[in-house]
């Protein structure tokens, strides 16, 4: 053996001896002696007080799944008891987190790069108090005390196992003050038993684990009382995005109740949710503070469907609520909706269908009260139960401030609409678009009384006050179907046709009508009029008028024609006549929709020598809510004489010709009346001839 060989052998042997001594020292070292140093180093690394107050032990072993030369590097398996992490100086709780016992294996080599890599950590009785201020400072963000910069150390955990524990959350941004308690279930519950077989994964490698722990939450969220309970799995895979983590919850926040069961994947990045969601509450408007989704005030609702969320989508998180079945009041809803947190505003899209919708449930969409009681604490301050001052037009304010918070594109098809048990509507088709604070319903179509209604509604809430325009067309509405309870009407073949086009400004239906300008046109042919019909229609004024004109008898209407002009809320008739078998009735005056006041004169003219119960005109004064009806002391001779010849309404009559149905002849009652109105009266013959 050469001298060189002996020297090399001696060096190697010495190194081997040093390694052996180091292994023995490390294996037998009392790590409790190192606790002060460890506490000091960790405190410096995270910028917070850190302390291991209980026993600390370390066992070294190789990780079998490490490949290559890394398989020969032993990992320390650390068990630490009674661990405490201090809080920030501005936080309320004295400790950020406490832990009765923690067990984990630590990768040694990444420590050289200031990375703490833990394959799996098991936490015993963890407790944490999370707090975030309104300025965004959060105590779960660790910063160095000298520079205020985030700690350079990176914590990388693959899986977290835990048993019973507690988490407190005080978040000024979310307006949350919650406490969560976690306890073992005692016996694991299979995922399919809670979530249902439909949510069980087909791929065994990605199958959700069992539910192991139960949890309860109590406190406040968005300023509303919150409570709930549910179940979760026992091992949270933080670094494996394909491993679904089972979650189940039943939570009540204010008047909203939610129940979910399904999975969460990639929890560190909030990757995705796949849940069965059941949601219910007193009004959909209550969801706005919770979700930011603008929805109308509605009667109580409930829904059950499949929620799939892509939280890491490049254009913003996307929530798809698929194949849901729901109810709003007594109306049913089905379909798919999608909510995207896109820029510059969130967007709601959907395609809905319904077998039956009640107008009482749809009323809130146009600012009309639903008719169902809402708990006092849930009522909006700007939504009084009744219009003030005895007025009758809806005064509930449109929440245009919320229209600018999101966009929407939703289509709805409904087979049957219930407005009145005796007047069913059908075949609703509506397309709602909300864009940049502008709300459009176009088209809005439905069948009614054997005919059709078509409308378009445009409301611009981008500026204050709101501006709106409504166009509506009624075609071939059958009178006997409009008034099915009137026996005499069942003998008629008459129809109603009409057009409406109004524009106005204001943040409620009352304000819009009070400022509206436009036209209303209507033709009614071959009907009847009676006191009982007025009662059915809810027209108390009509009861008086009809009784004064015709007594209690039913009188046939040959034609009713109305061409009404509206300017800044004041409606004035160009033409408003009823041609009955006994007389020609002319209505003049004004209806003020701003102040809800009436100033109308009703002038009858007898036909031929027929006996007519009243030759003096009537008046209608007062308000919409409390009209005053009576008989003029003396006849309005100028108006009455003009009506006999029909000469005062020659020109306006031409505007009603388009309402005569193409399938009907101009020789029908209204066609003949309009022809007569358009024919100039003959000049009287010279005397003496």
């Amino acid at each position: 053996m050469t001298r060189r060989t002996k020297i090399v052998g001696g060096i190697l042997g010495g190194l081997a001896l040093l390694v052996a001594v180091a292994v023995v020292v490390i294996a037998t070292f009392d790590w409790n002696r190192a606790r002060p140093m460890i506490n000091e180093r960790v405190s410096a690394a995270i910028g917070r007080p850190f302390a291991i107050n209980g026993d600390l032990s370390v066992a070294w072993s190789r990780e079998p799944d490490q490949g290559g030369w890394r398989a020969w590097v032993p990992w320390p398996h650390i068990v630490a008891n009674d661990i405490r992490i201090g809080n920030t100086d501005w936080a309320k709780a004295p400790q950020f987190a406490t832990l009765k016992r923690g067990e984990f294996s630590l990768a040694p080599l990444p420590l050289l790069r200031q990375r703490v890599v833990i394959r799996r950590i098991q936490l015993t009785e963890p407790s944490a108090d999370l707090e975030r201020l309104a300025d965004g400072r959060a105590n779960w963000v660790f910063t160095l005390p000298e520079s205020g910069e985030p700690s350079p150390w990176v914590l990388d955990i693959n899986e977290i196992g835990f048993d019973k524990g507690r988490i407190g959350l005080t978040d000024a941004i979310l307006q949350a003050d919650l406490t969560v308690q976690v306890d073992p279930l005692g016996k694991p519950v299979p995922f399919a038993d809670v979530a249902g077989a439909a949510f069980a994964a087909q791929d065994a490698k990605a199958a959700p684990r069992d539910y192991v722990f139960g949890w309860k939450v109590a406190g406040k969220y968005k300023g509303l009382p919150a409570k709930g309970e549910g179940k979760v799995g026992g091992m949270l895979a933080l670094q494996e995005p394909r491993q679904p983590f089972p979650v189940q919850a039943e939570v009540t926040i204010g008047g909203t109740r939610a129940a979910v069961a399904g999975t969460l994947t990639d929890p560190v990045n909030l990757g995705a949710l796949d849940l069965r969601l059941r949601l219910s509450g007193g009004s959909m408007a209550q969801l706005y503070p919770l979700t930011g989704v603008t929805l109308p005030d509605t009667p109580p609702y409930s829904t059950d469907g499949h929620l799939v969320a892509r939280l890491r989508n490049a254009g913003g998180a996307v929530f798809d609520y698929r194949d849901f079945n729901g109810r709003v009041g007594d109306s049913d809803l089905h379909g798919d909706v999608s909510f995207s947190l896109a820029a510059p505003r969130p967007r709601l899209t959907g395609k809905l269908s319904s077998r039956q919708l009640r107008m009482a449930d749809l009323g809130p969409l146009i600012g009309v009260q639903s008719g169902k009681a809402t708990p006092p604490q849930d009522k909006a301050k700007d939504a009084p139960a009744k219009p003030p001052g005895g007025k009758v037009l809806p005064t509930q304010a449109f929440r245009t401030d919320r229209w600018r918070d999101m966009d929407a594109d939703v289509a709805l098809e409904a087979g049957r609409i219930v407005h009145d048990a005796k007047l069913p509507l059908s075949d609703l088709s509506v397309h709602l678009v909300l864009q940049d604070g502008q709300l459009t319903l176009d088209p809005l179509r439905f069948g009614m009384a054997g005919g059709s209604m078509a409308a378009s509604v445009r409301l611009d809430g981008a500026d204050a006050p709101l501006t709106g325009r409504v166009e509506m067309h009624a075609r071939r509405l059958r009178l006997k179907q409009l008034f099915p309870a009137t026996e005499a009407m069942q003998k008629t073949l008459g129809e109603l046709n009409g057009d409406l086009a109004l524009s106005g400004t204001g943040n409620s239906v009352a304000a819009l009508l009070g400022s509206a300008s436009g036209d209303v046109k209507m033709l009614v042919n071959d009907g009847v009029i009676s006191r009982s019909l007025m009662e059915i229609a809810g027209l108390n004024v009509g009861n008086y008028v009809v009784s004064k004109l015709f007594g209690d008898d039913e009188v046939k209407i040959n034609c009713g024609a109305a061409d009404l002009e509206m300017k800044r809320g004041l409606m004035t008739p160009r033409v408003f006549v009823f041609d009955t078998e006994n007389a020609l009735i002319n209505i003049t005056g004004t209806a003020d929709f701003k102040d809800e006041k009436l100033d109308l004169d009703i002038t009858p003219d007898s036909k031929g020598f027929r006996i007519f119960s009243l030759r003096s005109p009537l008046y209608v004064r007062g308000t919409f809510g409390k009209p005053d009806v009576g008989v003029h002391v003396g006849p309005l001779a100028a108006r009455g004489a003009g009506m006999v010849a029909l000469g005062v309404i020659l020109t306006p009559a031409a505007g009603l010709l388009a309402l005569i149905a193409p399938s009907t002849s101009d020789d029908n009652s209204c066609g003949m009346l309009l022809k007569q109105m358009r024919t100039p009266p003959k000049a009287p013959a010279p005397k003496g001839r």
Side-chain angles (χ1 to χ4, degrees):
M1 179 180 297
T2 64
R3 180 181 176 85
R4 174 183 250 176
T5 304
K6 289 180 179 180
I7 292 173
V8 173
I11 293 173
L12 293 177
L15 290 174
L17 179 61
L18 288 175
V19 171
V21 171
V23 170
V24 172
V25 170
I26 292 174
T28 59
F29 181 72
D30 184 3
W31 286 92
N32 288 309
R33 296 181 181 180
R35 282 187 303 170
M37 180 192 67
I38 294 174
N39 293 342
E40 181 181 353
R41 295 293 179 87
V42 174
S43 297
I46 65 175
R48 300 271 186 88
F50 174 88
I52 301 174
N53 296 317
D55 185 63
L56 174 64
S57 63
V58 179
W60 294 80
S61 63
R62 292 186 300 171
E63 289 292 316
D65 58 347
Q66 293 292 302
W69 61 270
R70 292 183 178 85
W72 294 95
V73 179
W75 285 32
H77 180 73
I78 302 170
V79 179
N81 294 275
D82 191 7
I83 303 173
R84 297 179 181 274
I85 303 176
N87 223 330
T88 61
D89 55 3
W90 49 261
K92 297 178 181 179
Q95 304 290 337
F96 167 68
T98 62
L99 185 64
K100 182 177 181 180
R101 180 183 176 91
E103 299 181 48
F104 59 93
S105 294
L106 180 65
L109 296 179
L111 294 173
L112 301 175
R113 304 190 304 273
Q114 294 184 310
R115 295 187 68 221
V116 179
V117 177
I118 297 174
R119 178 63 52 83
R120 175 176 177 175
I121 185 170
Q122 183 67 38
L123 307 178
T124 302
E125 295 187 20
S127 177
D129 286 282
L130 310 179
E131 187 173 350
R132 181 165 60 174
L133 302 181
D135 60 11
R137 285 181 293 167
N139 69 342
W140 58 82
V141 177
F142 294 87
T143 58
L144 297 177
E146 296 83 6
S147 63
E149 295 295 325
S151 172
W153 286 82
V154 177
L155 181 62
D156 189 349
I157 302 175
N158 288 356
E159 291 184 332
I160 294 181
F162 51 88
D163 63 1
K164 66 178 182 179
R166 184 198 67 87
I167 299 175
L169 173 64
T170 302
D171 193 324
I173 295 178
L174 295 178
Q175 302 176 46
D177 188 0
L178 303 169
T179 300
V180 182
Q181 297 283 350
V182 181
D183 288 293
L185 292 174
K187 180 181 178 181
V189 178
F191 176 78
D193 289 357
V194 176
F199 280 88
Q202 300 297 320
D203 185 357
K205 293 182 180 179
R209 295 168 176 169
D210 294 340
Y211 294 99
V212 177
F213 292 97
W215 60 268
K216 292 184 178 180
V217 63
K220 287 190 174 182
Y221 182 74
K222 297 293 186 181
L224 302 172
K227 64 178 181 179
E229 60 183 8
K231 304 177 183 66
V232 293
M235 184 61 63
L236 182 59
L238 299 181
Q239 302 299 330
E240 179 49 62
R242 294 192 59 195
Q243 178 61 54
F245 180 71
V247 295
Q248 183 265 333
E250 294 184 6
V251 178
T252 300
I253 303 176
T256 302
R257 296 170 296 279
V260 300
T263 61
L264 165 67
T265 56
D266 194 8
V268 169
N269 298 308
L270 290 178
L273 293 171
D274 189 354
L275 305 169
R276 178 186 176 188
L277 170 63
R278 298 192 302 275
L279 199 64
S280 61
S283 170
M284 287 188 179
Q286 297 172 358
L287 291 172
Y288 178 77
L290 304 179
T291 65
V293 180
T294 303
L295 295 170
D297 291 306
T298 67
Y301 70 94
S302 63
T303 181
D304 185 348
H306 185 185
L307 175 65
V308 177
R310 303 186 301 278
L311 304 176
R312 303 296 294 177
N313 192 60
V318 177
F319 300 83
D320 294 322
Y321 197 32
R322 303 170 180 170
D323 300 325
F324 74 85
N325 296 297
R327 299 196 68 82
V328 180
D330 295 322
S331 304
D332 66 282
L333 282 174
H334 318 272
D336 304 283
V337 295
S338 180
F339 182 66
S340 172
L341 293 173
R345 287 174 301 279
R347 183 174 180 81
L348 177 70
T349 59
K351 197 168 185 179
L352 310 177
S353 64
S354 174
R355 291 183 291 272
Q356 174 176 291
L357 289 177
R358 294 178 67 251
M359 288 300 292
D361 303 327
L362 296 176
L365 292 173
I366 58 171
V368 179
Q369 289 292 327
S370 66
K372 293 200 174 184
T374 303
Q377 66 271 21
D378 295 330
K379 285 188 177 182
K381 293 181 181 179
D382 56 351
K386 294 182 179 180
K391 293 188 177 183
V392 298
L393 296 177
T395 58
Q396 182 176 352
F398 296 106
R399 295 182 174 179
T400 56
D401 56 325
R402 298 183 177 182
W403 295 6
R404 296 183 290 273
D405 290 344
M406 63 171 285
D407 295 333
D409 189 335
V410 179
L412 170 64
E413 303 280 343
R416 184 171 183 264
I417 311 169
V418 179
H419 173 59
D420 183 287
K422 300 173 182 177
L423 183 61
L425 310 179
S426 62
D427 301 325
L428 170 69
S429 177
V430 59
H431 183 200
L432 180 149
V433 175
L434 180 62
Q435 184 73 37
D436 298 332
Q438 300 180 21
L439 176 66
T440 303
L441 298 175
D442 188 15
L444 171 58
R445 296 189 296 261
F446 56 90
M448 176 178 175
S452 64
M453 298 286 291
S456 66
V457 180
R458 303 179 188 277
L459 304 176
D460 188 349
D463 298 319
L466 173 148
T467 61
R469 179 172 177 79
V470 179
E471 295 183 10
M472 185 174 295
H473 308 281
R475 291 295 181 267
R476 310 201 65 175
L477 306 188
R478 307 278 183 174
L479 297 181
K480 64 180 180 181
Q481 295 184 37
L482 275 175
F483 302 98
T486 304
E487 182 178 351
M489 195 68 77
Q490 303 310 301
K491 304 173 184 177
T492 70
L493 299 176
E495 294 180 349
L496 182 150
N497 294 278
D499 286 332
L500 176 150
L502 296 176
S503 299
T505 61
N507 285 353
S508 68
V509 172
L512 284 169
L513 289 175
S515 63
S517 297
D519 300 284
V520 180
K521 299 178 181 181
M522 181 180 66
L523 279 182
V524 179
N525 67 281
D526 298 327
V528 296
I529 191 169
S530 66
R531 291 185 63 186
S532 61
L533 182 61
M534 295 298 100
E535 291 174 0
I536 292 172
L539 299 176
N540 295 327
V541 174
N543 290 343
Y544 182 90
V545 172
V546 171
S547 65
K548 287 297 183 182
L549 292 177
F550 308 113
D552 293 331
D553 298 331
E554 293 176 341
V555 177
K556 181 180 178 182
I557 296 178
N558 299 320
C559 179
D563 186 348
L564 313 175
E565 179 186 29
M566 202 160 182
K567 287 185 177 180
R568 294 183 292 278
L570 189 66
M571 180 174 282
T572 306
R574 297 189 186 99
V575 175
F576 202 170
V577 296
F578 287 91
D579 179 22
T580 73
E581 58 185 354
N582 292 330
L584 192 67
I585 312 297
N586 183 39
I587 301 175
T588 57
T590 59
D592 187 345
F593 282 78
K594 181 178 181 180
D595 297 324
E596 296 194 12
K597 291 184 178 180
L598 296 167
D599 185 7
L600 300 174
D601 293 313
I602 303 171
T603 307
D605 286 282
S606 301
K607 290 184 175 180
F609 296 100
R610 295 184 182 182
I611 298 176
F612 193 56
S613 63
L614 181 68
R615 296 182 183 276
S616 295
L618 304 177
Y619 66 81
V620 180
R621 305 285 186 266
T623 66
F624 291 4
K626 292 183 178 180
D628 175 29
V629 186
V631 180
H632 278 291
V633 176
L636 301 180
R639 296 181 184 178
M643 280 302 301
V644 174
L646 295 173
V648 297
I649 48 178
L650 297 179
T651 304
L656 294 169
L657 294 177
L659 295 182
I660 298 178
S663 60
T664 60
S665 169
D666 283 350
D667 294 332
N668 67 16
S669 300
C670 281
M672 291 187 291
L673 176 64
L674 293 180
K675 281 184 177 180
Q676 185 181 1
M677 292 166 66
R678 287 180 295 136
T679 303
K682 294 181 180 180
K687 293 182 179 180
R689 289 189 182 182

